[in-house]
Every structure is written in structure tokens, then in C-alpha cells.
Amino acid sequence: MTFGEQPAYLRVASDLREKIVNGSLPPHTRLPSQARIREEYGVSDTVALEARKVLMAEGLVEGRSGSGTYVRERPVPRRIARSGYRPAAGASPFRQEQTAEGVHGTWESRSEQEGASAELAERLGIEPGDRVMRTRYTFREAGEPMMLSTSWEPLAVTGRTPVMLPEEGPLGGCGVVERMAAIDVVVDNVAEQVGARPGLAEELLALGGVPGHVVMVIERTYYASGRPVETADVVVPADRFRVGYHLPVR
């Protein structure tokens, strides 16, 4: 193999991928069998098998028990709007942002206390083992799971206050900025880092994804005078959604 030349299984996968993308192999069409790939491309069974594995890992095809491998329906990516924090308006930023996009968004949540891990303690500027309130969310668009989020707030900030539980009390369901303001904590900055990784099994199960699919992970932290008061991991299926930002110019 000359320098820069792709391995045979990647060349075969690339050709099959192009046929899927251009419609020559439309959704729900059975992928050529391993024997046919071997004959058509003049490759070994091993190469044919590895090429099929590549397409499956990319989420382009799916195996059906006792039937074979088929081209998957390719979803048209939809937009999830994000705009950082918003001024107090009596509603969740998620609901405001999705309403602005003409989407009916709902969510469900569950909160419980736990000790901070070393990684979480570093993000929140606290000591490992310090108590935090963890809240897990599932966000939906017209009933379909679209996003997961896990947030953590140090109980040194919110403990024994009316906003200790993010989704309960007089400000339940409001954004972090408004809730913190109610206990005289002024949020003045928010930072987000966006990355990608294969989805965890439990994440893909909750989101209706396929094993091996990639998810976007948004690590968000709210600050008040340089002190982290909330941090969260937001998980979005990368094959179905795009994250769009509205950032104010100051």
C-alpha cells in the first residue's frame, strides 16, 4: 500500500457511503451481502465485513435480526437554540428559547443530594465530598426526547434556601439566574464548552439513539463574581440536532 492510500475496507465503506448519501441505496434498502461486496469489489470476506462494520458504527445502516443489514432513515437535523442566560422573565430559558424557534418544549426532572466527585469539585471550586444538589433532566420536543442534562449546585450556596430544589418551590422551573437572584446571588457570567463523544448506553436508550452514535456534550457553568454556582452537562444526539447560539454583542 502506497503512502496515503486508504486500507481496502475504508475504500469499500467510502463507496457504499456515497451510494447511501446520493440515494443509490435509499433508506430501508438492504445493504449488499458480504458475499456480494466481496465479488463486486474484489476483496476478501474480512475486508467486506470490516466495511460493513464501519457503516454500522457511523449509524448509516442497522442490522435486523434474521433479515440482514439495511440502510437507516437519515433524519434531517433540527435546531436547538441556546442563548446563554436571560433576564428574569418567570420562565425556564429552555422553554423561552424553544418557543422562540416555534417548538413546544417540555421536560421532566429528578433532584437528589450527593457528594461531589473530584472532577465535579474542580468545576465548582469546592472540596471533593462537599454536598451538591444533582438534578437530571430529560427535555422533549412534541414528546420526543431531544436533550438530556445533569446539573449540580453546591449546597453551600443554595442549601436551606427556597431555591434548594431547582424544580420545586416558588421559583421552580425558572432559570439559574432568576433563582440565584432570589437568594441575593448575582450571576454575571456563563461559560460553555462543546465537545463530542460516543453516547453512553443509558444516554442513547433515553434519547432513542443507536449504540455507537455520537452525542454533543455542552459543559456549562454559571458564575457569580468568579464563583461557580451551577455547572451542568447537556447531552444532545448529534445525528438529529444542531446547536445554534444567539450571542449578544456588547
Side-chain angles (χ1 to χ4, degrees):
M1 183 172 68
T2 60
F3 179 76
E5 184 179 352
Q6 284 186 322
Y9 77 95
L10 288 181
R11 295 201 304 274
V12 173
S14 178
D15 188 69
L16 291 170
R17 184 189 304 112
E18 183 176 350
K19 291 179 179 178
I20 292 172
V21 172
N22 67 23
S24 299
L25 287 172
H28 311 297
T29 299
R30 186 172 179 176
L31 194 71
S33 67
Q34 188 169 314
R36 183 165 176 188
I37 292 175
R38 181 190 65 213
E39 294 170 4
E40 182 176 342
Y41 293 94
V43 295
S44 67
D45 280 331
T46 300
V47 169
L49 177 60
E50 290 302 313
R52 288 159 64 91
K53 285 182 178 179
V54 168
L55 298 177
M56 190 166 291
E58 293 176 349
L60 294 173
V61 301
E62 60 184 354
R64 299 180 186 174
S65 181
S67 179
T69 304
Y70 291 79
V71 177
R72 292 185 68 243
E73 187 83 42
R74 298 179 68 216
V76 176
R78 286 165 285 169
R79 190 171 185 273
I80 292 179
R82 297 188 67 77
S83 58
Y85 65 83
R86 293 191 175 198
S92 157
F94 169 77
R95 178 169 289 169
Q96 291 181 37
E97 290 165 353
Q98 302 317 305
T99 298
E101 295 296 313
V103 172
H104 178 59
T106 60
W107 73 90
E108 55 202 48
S109 65
R110 184 178 74 255
S111 296
E112 57 188 340
Q113 296 185 33
E114 67 178 13
S117 65
E119 178 186 359
L120 181 59
E122 183 176 357
R123 286 170 60 171
L124 285 172
I126 59 180
E127 294 297 322
D130 283 359
R131 305 301 290 174
V132 296
M133 183 64 71
R134 181 189 68 200
T135 304
R136 288 178 170 157
Y137 296 87
T138 300
F139 296 93
R140 301 179 186 275
E141 175 189 314
E144 177 191 354
M146 60 182 295
M147 184 168 65
L148 304 175
S149 176
T150 303
S151 71
W152 298 269
E153 296 179 351
L155 288 174
V157 175
T158 62
R160 299 185 179 183
T161 74
V163 301
M164 185 172 74
L165 293 168
E167 297 298 319
E168 296 182 22
L171 292 176
C174 293
V176 173
V177 177
E178 185 175 1
R179 290 177 48 251
M180 292 295 170
I183 57 173
D184 298 322
V185 175
V186 179
V187 173
D188 53 18
N189 193 17
V190 58
E192 293 192 348
Q193 298 183 69
V194 182
R197 59 167 171 76
L200 303 178
E202 58 268 26
E203 292 171 339
L204 295 174
L205 179 64
L207 290 167
V210 175
H213 271 193
V214 171
V215 295
M216 290 176 284
V217 181
I218 304 168
E219 181 183 305
R220 181 200 67 207
T221 304
Y222 283 99
Y223 296 87
S225 300
R227 179 186 184 182
V229 295
E230 190 258 18
T231 193
D233 288 334
V234 181
V235 177
V236 180
D239 64 326
R240 284 185 280 148
F241 294 96
R242 298 289 181 266
V243 178
Y245 284 85
H246 296 283
L247 302 177
V249 177
R250 297 181 180 180

